[in-house]
Amino acid sequence: MPFSNNLPNQPELLNWQQFAELFAEQTRRDCGAEVSIEWGEDLENTTLLVEIGNGRHSLYLGNQYALYCQEPADLEAILAHNSQIMRQIMMLNDAALHHDNIMPVIKSTAWLDEMAQSMRSNGDNPDEILIYEPLAENLLLAYVFKNETFSISLDRLLLAQAGISEAELQQTALDNLSRYSKGQIQIASDPQSGLNQILFDGTYDASLILLLGGVLAKHLPDNPVFALPTRDALFACSPDNPATLDKLQQLAAEIYADSPYAISPYLYQYHNGEISLFQPH
């Protein structure tokens, strides 16, 4: 039976849960892989686990779902394209996992809790698999391997396969982020509210907090307070204006509540090279 006959007939847009289930089903059928979904509260914290041989890949469907939401009529083409990508992933070898394709991503402790719980339920020890570093309060630094069409969460198993040292991982990812974002960052400032939005590519916007002491420093107030409610939203303002801080907090909470790519509703501050939870005086 053609796959198109299995597609939902309803004209309504699939929600992210329905899309994940459909994606998983096609991957099982087209790639012959074992696929399971580890559900989170939203799409950002939901993982597609694809078991290939003795390895397991963790996939995130945010980019694919965004494409579908932009062009719902392309659903079948998007799913078919991603089956092809999965077959490429299945053929990945050490040479394909190149240093230049490692990127840093900002995650929450909620993501870590869900990933760890999922691994324990499968008999795995998350401390032996997950790679992450604490940043501030509920923020973590993690890593992905990316190319133009897909990204894979980097864990110790995949890192060992690629022959990449964990000791060099952070600097490698930061160098790649700096190179990838060069000439691509825009600052949208609103003089009336005092808010600044830092715009990038819609996927690694939140990761730009790692550049607050570098390329972004000259464009923002000293010791900026910032919010990263989702992976594609990064705002900053001066720490000296209570009204602006209130607006930033309200904006962060609203975006966080409505996004499938949520990270945190809180405010943070960059000061003396460190990121910390913002504490108003």
Side-chain angles (χ1 to χ4, degrees), residues 45 68 72 82 89 92 122 156 160 166 177 181 201 212 241 254 267 273:
N45 292 306
Y68 162 66
N82 282 286
I89 294 175
L92 281 175
N122 289 316
R156 288 190 170 92
E166 192 169 336
L177 177 64
S181 62
D201 67 346
L212 286 173
N241 189 322
E254 291 174 353
L267 302 187

Side-chain angles (χ1 to χ4, degrees), residues 29-274:
R29 193 182 66 177
D30 287 2
C31 302
E34 293 187 25
V35 183
S36 60
I37 303 173
E38 296 297 340
W39 297 104
E41 294 182 355
D42 49 37
L43 188 58
E44 180 71 14
N45 292 306
T46 293
T47 308
L48 201 72
L49 299 178
V50 182
E51 301 205 16
I52 303 169
N54 295 323
R56 177 187 299 162
H57 296 285
S58 299
L59 304 181
Y60 302 95
L61 305 182
N63 291 340
Q64 290 85 352
Y65 187 64
L67 287 173
Y68 162 66
C69 289
Q70 293 170 7
E71 296 291 343
D74 291 343
L75 175 59
E76 185 172 356
I78 291 170
L79 293 172
H81 176 64
N82 282 286
S83 287
Q84 180 180 0
I85 291 171
M86 281 306 308
R87 288 189 286 269
Q88 294 173 358
I89 294 175
M90 294 171 73
M91 294 186 292
L92 281 175
N93 52 40
D94 293 357
L97 296 174
H98 195 272
H99 289 61
D100 290 347
N101 297 104
I102 294 174
M103 292 289 286
V105 290
I106 308 302
K107 296 290 187 179
S108 68
T109 50
W111 168 85
L112 176 61
D113 292 343
E114 291 176 354
M115 290 292 291
Q117 182 179 357
S118 167
M119 290 180 176
R120 292 190 186 100
S121 68
N122 289 316
D124 296 323
N125 183 350
D127 294 333
E128 296 177 353
I129 298 175
L130 292 175
I131 301 176
Y132 65 90
E133 300 167 41
L135 282 179
E137 195 67 16
N138 66 327
L139 298 182
L140 304 170
L141 173 61
Y143 304 92
V144 297
F145 167 81
K146 70 171 285 294
N147 65 17
E148 294 180 355
T149 52
F150 66 87
S151 64
I152 310 173
S153 179
L154 270 182
D155 56 31
R156 288 190 170 92
L157 301 177
L158 198 57
L159 204 62
Q161 175 188 334
I164 299 172
S165 166
E166 192 169 336
E168 62 182 318
L169 185 56
Q170 182 180 122
Q171 191 58 56
T172 296
L174 291 178
D175 290 345
N176 290 340
L177 177 64
S178 296
R179 185 181 66 256
Y180 179 50
S181 62
K182 187 176 181 179
Q184 305 298 317
I185 301 173
Q186 299 179 30
I187 309 291
S189 300
D190 180 4
Q192 185 173 0
S193 68
L195 295 178
N196 303 278
Q197 182 172 7
I198 304 166
L199 302 165
F200 184 26
D201 67 346
T203 299
Y204 296 99
D205 296 45
S207 298
L208 294 179
I209 66 170
L210 303 171
L211 304 182
L212 286 173
V215 65
L216 294 179
K218 63 183 179 180
H219 301 290
L220 297 174
D222 293 336
N223 306 317
V225 174
F226 65 89
L228 61 168
T230 72
R231 71 173 192 181
D232 58 352
L234 178 58
F235 301 90
C237 71
S238 167
D240 301 323
N241 189 322
T244 301
L245 292 169
D246 287 343
K247 291 177 182 177
L248 181 59
Q249 180 63 84
Q250 181 180 356
L251 181 63
E254 291 174 353
I255 296 176
Y256 174 83
D258 293 336
S259 174
Y261 315 116
I263 297 178
S264 174
Y266 304 128
L267 302 187
Y268 304 86
Q269 187 169 27
Y270 181 83
H271 179 66
N272 289 337
E274 300 289 335

